[in-house]
Amino acid sequence: MSGETALDQSGLGVPAERAPTDWRGDAMRRRIARRYASERRFRLLGMAAVLASAGFLAFLLISMMGNGLRGFTRTEVAVPIDFPRSVAMIDPAVLQTNPEQALANANLPAVLEQATTQAFGVSDTQLLSPNAVLALRDAIIRDPAILDQKVTVNLPASTGIDVAMKSEGNGTDEALASRLDDTGVISTAFNLGFLTGSDGTDPTMVGIWGALKGSLITMVITLALSFPIGVFAALYLEEYAPRNRWTDLIEVSINNLAAVPSIIFGLLGLAIFLNVMHLPRSAPLVGGMTLALMTMPVIVIAGRNAIKAVPPSIRDAALGIGASPVQVVFHHVLPLALPGILTGTIIGMARALGETAPLLMIGMRAFVSQPPGGFTDPATVLPVQIFLWSDEVGRGFIEKTSAAIIVLLAFLLTMNSIAIYLRNKFEKKW
Amino acid sequence: MTGVMIVLIIGALGVIGWIIARARATRLQAEVGRLATNSRPTQHGWYVALWTMLPAFAFLAVWANVMPSLIADTVLATPAAQTLPVDDFSRNAILAEAQSIASGSQAAAFNPQATELVEPYRAATLRYSTMGAILAAILAFACGAYALSRVRPSFTARYRVEKVVMWALLGASLIAIITTAGIVASLVFESMRFFSMVNPLNFLFGLNWSPQSAAMGYGNEDAFGAVPLFWGTIFIGAIIAMIVAIPLGLMSAIYLTQYARPNTRKWMKPILEVLAGVPTVVYGYFAALTVAPALRNFAASIGISNASSESALAAGLVMGIMIIPFVSSMADDSIAAVPQSMRDGSLAMGATTSETIRKVLIPAALPGVVGGVLLAVSRAIGETMIVVMAAGLAANLTLNPFASVTTVTTQMVQLLTGDQEFDSAKTLAAFALGLVLFIVTLLLNIVALRVVKKYREAYE
């Protein structure tokens, strides 16, 4: 109130027609309360938005973890095998010299059939994974002495039993699994085959090493092409390019390429690399080249920002003591900008590693059951493998898909953490 | 094998040339003194190394392109090839088979004539690749020796090496233009072939999309109406996804910039950025496995009977989540660009923080926010994996979010991943769709950047 009177007395000529606001009155209190309530609501709304976004992320990760961690384990059945009485026909002499060949001729599937029928009354195809034969073979190679004994071998269970033990399978498998579980022959072990194997037809046999290796080879090509080209282009545009129409055209192209949908790059790869240049389909070479075109603008933009951040005084000092423009850039500007460029490169590579659509266009979705050996072998990559498995109808593939997603996310998070670490460690304030 | 070997040999020659030239230049520099020499010893080294390697590699690149036809000519001249069929198609098929056996990528021949040609093929390949390797090595040696003979105190090695470097830098930046031109050329060229089979007006305004029936020979004219695809793309990417992403993204940005304590902000911002780093195939799997069944059950429980398990809502919802960090960071930037004085002025008048945000900051930042939303839309309509995995294939013109719709990118993947011959209208339609997608995203980006730029200038 005193403020109002003070204003009147100061002689500013403000007519004191309006009654002074009664801040203590009911109407004003209600109004203030309403405004404060609205303020709180707005604030809560903001917090809710942040929490909802973070909640989505948490839900996504937890649901992947929940499904996927089971993919790293496998169910095993302890199968008693009486080798002396079995139908195995193994020549001990050949086993000494060439165990692979001896066991290839030994009719091990029939041994398993006999063993499971005797022990559990079911056929081996219902109880055991197709991998069980390989596991048995490895067990014999490890210790040939078991051929003369009656032994119990832990063998991987079939998809039906595996799914029934981990979640909910169909009726017959569920019944069989609970019957076996009661007798105590079922155990759970780490599924090493998932980390070392390739794509397969049976969920208990598949692994991600083939796809991972394909991804790594593809990334090598992508990095080898996009990093030098990206850095050189960034240096040219930032340090040397004259201001003219050509430079503008280059800048516009790079900025547009950064925003072009990734699937368009796939069409480019299909039309140019496959149909015009006749490079092999499904090859990491073509995939890497396509992804390099996609990653290059990211590196150029990050590189330009990093180069821009190097203060002009450093260039002036180098020029002042007689360095040529090329020496200035390669001896001084580039080393100082390198951490920023590397951060951008890692982020671009992480994006390329998770990219699927352009690779589908150039045919990297083939069924590949062998890890690729070179740049032109048929290969698939981790995200495409996830896509292929997600299309499979078998229930056993759900956990394998989620497990592959966990591996992919682990790689991406590691790369992004390295990028953040680099940025924090080497970021310089000039 | 020989290819890798010869590259290594030329590389080694380059290194040797570098070392010799540097040593010689160092000696010369010691004789005449530093101020009398034009270039540093290292620059002489690089000059010689470049002369050794560049012409030889250029020759190898040319040779690799010429060699297949030379080999084919030699093989055709052998007696075993005289019995080959006359017509080009079957002759080339047999030749290709012989070649893949000779290179080891195929184990046995389907055609007996190919088996006879394997040996000549191998011999010719060996002969020409050895010839190329020897020529390249001689070229590298000769050019290196020539360059080495020019190492003199007065020689301007630095100037010449730097010229090569400048050309390399320029060449690298031209790749961007070449890529853009390649995209435009391939899209336009293949689309032209498509539009020679299908009327562009029918494509852009037709209401019926059924490329399968066209592939089975029911005629092309009415099977490629893309309007249902355009609608599905807009429905999922520009409507449902934005209904999720704009409020969540905008409110997150406001909370984190205006309300959150610095510590909260430091932690929450990277967490939101992780959402942008999750690969789209993971989102797609999440949408198909978790979100879509939940939505179908929800629809069934509220009495919608024909809910599809591949609903537009599932794809759009998850796509919206993916876009949140994008909208949020664009909004963050444009709010930060509003001058502090405007905010202070509003607060000094007694407005609460939320009133300041709603009545001052947001209106001032609106052009930037709109630009960001346009960029987000352009990203959403070009997004592929989520819709491929969660949105279904039925081309419906519907407003029901629980029904199945299909999008441009879904159909592109669908059209190009079958086993068709490449020049059918069905596969070419993918390029026409790609062209439309490219033009629309390009326009959205140009408009968005214009809006953002214009607004930025207003406060600077």
Side-chain angles (χ1 to χ4, degrees):
Chain A
M1 304 303 123
S2 59
E4 295 280 336
T5 36
L7 201 68
D8 282 348
Q9 284 168 352
S10 69
L12 282 173
V14 180
E17 288 167 14
R18 195 163 63 93
T21 311
D22 178 14
W23 291 100
R24 286 167 207 261
D26 263 359
M28 270 341 251
R29 279 176 184 235
R30 272 204 303 278
R31 193 165 158 185
I32 296 263
R34 207 170 59 235
R35 284 174 62 199
Y36 281 3
S38 143
E39 165 77 24
R40 275 195 302 279
R41 276 201 304 277
F42 192 76
R43 194 192 163 113
L44 280 177
L45 214 60
M47 196 189 281
V50 174
L51 290 181
S53 312
F56 283 130
L57 180 66
F59 181 50
L60 179 87
L61 294 181
I62 289 170
S63 79
M64 289 303 152
M65 286 285 173
N67 281 322
L69 287 181
R70 291 197 302 254
F72 292 103
T73 63
R74 68 179 185 192
T75 309
E76 292 187 343
V77 185
V79 183
I81 301 176
D82 188 1
F83 277 110
R85 289 202 203 157
S86 76
V87 291
M89 295 173 294
I90 298 175
D91 187 346
V94 185
L95 189 64
Q96 291 282 325
T97 54
N98 188 354
E100 301 277 338
Q101 162 132 40
L103 293 167
N105 296 336
N107 201 6
L108 292 178
V111 176
L112 287 178
E113 166 87 56
Q114 192 187 23
T116 53
T117 318
Q118 276 174 7
F120 310 113
V122 287
S123 81
D124 64 322
T125 47
Q126 195 193 343
L127 183 68
L128 297 175
S129 153
N131 254 0
V133 176
L134 297 179
L136 182 61
R137 207 188 62 184
D138 292 345
I140 296 175
I141 292 178
R142 243 189 341 264
D143 181 15
I146 61 172
L147 286 175
D148 308 323
Q149 307 157 9
K150 186 171 176 186
V151 290
T152 304
V153 189
N154 273 346
L155 295 174
S158 71
T159 309
I161 303 289
D162 196 41
V163 172
M165 284 309 297
K166 286 170 176 170
S167 50
E168 208 167 316
N170 64 31
T172 50
D173 287 329
E174 196 70 42
L176 178 60
S178 62
R179 181 161 69 84
L180 293 175
D181 202 18
D182 291 341
T183 58
V185 295
I186 287 198
S187 60
T188 304
F190 180 67
N191 188 359
L192 190 64
F194 183 69
L195 295 181
T196 57
S198 292
D199 200 4
T201 47
D202 189 284
T204 56
M205 293 170 67
V206 299
I208 51 160
W209 173 238
L212 196 58
K213 195 173 174 196
S215 272
L216 293 180
I217 296 178
T218 309
M219 286 301 114
V220 167
I221 300 264
T222 306
L223 186 64
L225 289 176
S226 64
F227 183 68
I229 293 177
V231 172
F232 276 23
L235 285 177
Y236 180 76
L237 289 176
E238 214 41 61
E239 296 288 331
Y240 302 117
R243 292 282 129 218
N244 61 22
R245 204 180 297 162
W246 278 100
T247 311
D248 286 348
L249 192 62
I250 295 174
E251 284 189 19
V252 169
S253 306
I254 287 175
N255 291 337
N256 281 334
L257 283 180
V260 166
S262 60
I263 191 170
I264 302 281
F265 285 97
L267 289 183
L268 171 78
L270 176 62
I272 306 281
F273 296 149
L274 294 188
N275 289 339
V276 174
M277 291 165 70
H278 295 292
L279 294 171
R281 267 179 90 84
S282 303
L285 177 67
V286 182
M289 285 162 71
T290 310
L291 291 180
L293 294 181
M294 229 183 75
T295 315
M296 192 255 302
V298 179
I299 297 180
V300 175
I301 292 170
R304 289 186 70 173
N305 288 333
I307 294 167
K308 227 181 267 175
V310 176
S313 58
I314 287 181
R315 296 180 185 85
D316 296 343
L319 283 171
I321 56 168
S324 71
V326 170
Q327 284 173 325
V328 170
V329 165
F330 281 87
H331 294 179
H332 300 283
V333 176
L334 187 57
L336 289 173
L338 208 55
I341 298 177
L342 283 182
T343 310
T345 305
I346 295 174
I347 289 172
M349 292 301 289
R351 192 185 293 178
L353 179 62
E355 196 55 70
T356 320
L359 301 178
L360 292 181
M361 296 281 102
I362 57 162
M364 284 187 92
R365 58 179 284 159
F367 176 81
V368 182
S369 57
Q370 288 285 323
F375 293 121
T376 52
D377 287 356
T380 188
V381 295
L382 210 41
V384 177
Q385 187 70 76
I386 291 169
F387 173 64
L388 292 176
W389 283 348
S390 76
D391 254 5
E392 297 275 352
V393 281
R395 287 210 48 188
F397 273 106
I398 292 178
E399 61 178 41
K400 298 299 173 195
T401 314
S402 305
I405 285 175
I406 292 176
V407 173
L408 179 61
L409 287 180
F411 267 91
L412 293 180
L413 288 182
T414 315
M415 288 170 77
N416 282 316
S417 318
I418 293 174
I420 291 172
Y421 173 78
L422 271 181
R423 188 167 58 197
N424 291 344
K425 175 143 195 218
F426 292 104
E427 197 176 40
K428 258 191 205 145
K429 291 271 179 273
W430 299 97
Chain B
M1 196 55 226
T2 40
V4 179
M5 278 301 288
I6 189 61
V7 169
L8 287 181
I9 288 174
I10 293 173
L13 280 176
V15 172
I16 293 171
W18 190 87
I19 293 171
I20 295 177
R22 189 167 170 271
R24 182 178 288 188
T26 315
R27 214 177 50 235
L28 287 176
Q29 188 177 296
E31 282 170 16
V32 300
R34 267 206 69 176
L35 293 179
T37 50
N38 176 285
S39 306
R40 310 289 312 275
T42 328
Q43 287 153 349
H44 283 286
W46 280 114
Y47 179 75
V48 172
L50 286 175
W51 258 109
T52 312
M53 292 191 290
L54 287 186
F57 282 138
F59 169 76
L60 278 183
V62 173
W63 188 255
N65 284 317
V66 177
M67 205 166 70
S69 62
L70 285 178
I71 293 175
D73 284 348
T74 316
V75 172
L76 284 178
T78 58
Q82 298 312 314
T83 56
L84 283 180
V86 188
D87 69 304
D88 277 351
F89 182 74
S90 40
R91 196 171 61 182
N92 286 342
I94 294 175
L95 280 179
E97 199 174 355
Q99 187 199 2
S100 53
I101 299 174
S103 64
S105 58
Q106 193 179 337
F110 178 69
N111 194 316
Q113 277 181 308
T115 324
E116 293 174 22
L117 288 179
V118 170
E119 260 328 298
Y121 233 110
R122 241 175 231 157
T125 313
L126 184 66
R127 177 138 51 96
Y128 281 110
S129 53
T130 318
M131 197 189 285
I134 291 172
L135 285 177
I138 291 174
L139 191 64
F141 195 78
C143 293
Y146 163 71
L148 206 54
S149 72
R150 303 183 73 177
V151 177
R152 241 171 255 120
S154 63
F155 184 64
T156 53
R158 159 164 146 178
Y159 171 72
R160 284 155 207 260
V161 169
E162 291 187 349
K163 218 169 174 186
V164 175
V165 172
M166 290 305 284
W167 279 108
L169 293 181
L170 179 63
S173 37
L174 286 180
I175 301 265
I177 294 188
I178 295 172
T179 310
T180 312
I183 289 177
V184 173
S186 57
L187 289 179
V188 168
F189 180 69
E190 306 290 354
S191 301
M192 282 302 149
R193 287 169 66 193
F194 174 70
F195 288 133
S196 69
M197 298 180 210
V198 176
N199 186 343
L201 292 179
N202 285 354
F203 172 72
L204 285 177
F205 301 108
L207 298 180
N208 176 37
W209 177 264
S210 50
Q212 286 302 339
S213 70
M216 284 186 286
Y218 289 110
N220 286 333
E221 273 309 305
D222 297 327
F224 290 103
V227 170
L229 272 55
F230 299 151
W231 167 245
T233 309
I234 293 171
F235 193 38
I236 291 180
I239 298 179
I240 300 178
M242 289 306 132
I243 288 177
V244 176
I246 293 175
L248 283 177
L250 195 55
M251 286 309 292
S252 303
I254 288 171
Y255 183 78
L256 289 180
T257 52
Q258 307 294 324
Y259 286 112
R261 266 170 287 170
N263 240 347
T264 322
R265 183 178 155 82
K266 205 176 105 193
W267 279 102
M268 288 312 287
K269 229 176 128 62
I271 288 180
L272 287 193
E273 274 163 14
V274 171
L275 273 177
V278 173
T280 54
V281 69
V282 176
Y283 279 117
Y285 186 62
F286 179 65
L289 187 80
T290 313
V291 180
L295 282 176
R296 191 192 48 207
N297 293 342
F298 171 74
S301 71
I302 60 168
I304 300 171
S305 56
N306 60 348
S308 164
S309 63
E310 295 176 321
S311 60
L313 192 56
L317 214 64
V318 174
M319 195 183 278
I321 295 173
M322 185 191 85
I323 298 285
I324 288 174
F326 196 75
V327 174
S328 157
S329 78
M330 295 298 292
D332 199 335
D333 289 351
S334 37
I335 290 175
V338 176
Q340 183 68 20
S341 56
M342 289 175 76
R343 195 164 159 247
D344 292 347
S346 166
L347 290 172
M349 295 297 289
T352 62
T353 316
S354 70
E355 284 161 354
T356 306
I357 293 166
R358 271 179 300 186
K359 306 218 165 111
V360 177
L361 290 188
I362 302 261
L366 199 59
V369 175
V370 170
V373 168
L374 287 182
L375 286 180
V377 169
S378 107
R379 174 161 296 197
I381 64 176
E383 167 45 43
T384 309
M385 291 323 290
I386 294 177
V387 285
V388 166
M389 293 166 87
L393 295 171
N396 291 325
L397 261 176
T398 174
L399 270 173
N400 176 4
F402 292 103
S404 164
V405 297
T406 192
T407 71
V408 171
T409 48
T410 315
Q411 289 300 321
M412 282 163 68
V413 171
Q414 208 55 35
L415 292 170
L416 283 177
T417 49
D419 291 324
Q420 297 93 14
E421 68 277 31
F422 193 71
D423 44 6
S424 76
K426 202 181 144 195
T427 49
L428 291 177
F431 284 89
L433 290 175
L435 184 63
V436 174
L437 184 64
F438 181 71
I439 292 174
V440 171
T441 49
L442 201 63
L443 288 179
L444 276 174
N445 282 311
I446 291 173
V447 171
L449 290 180
R450 234 343 95 100
V451 169
V452 172
K453 209 172 177 183
K454 207 165 181 182
Y455 147 79
R456 285 270 156 78
E457 283 161 2
Y459 287 118
E460 272 162 14

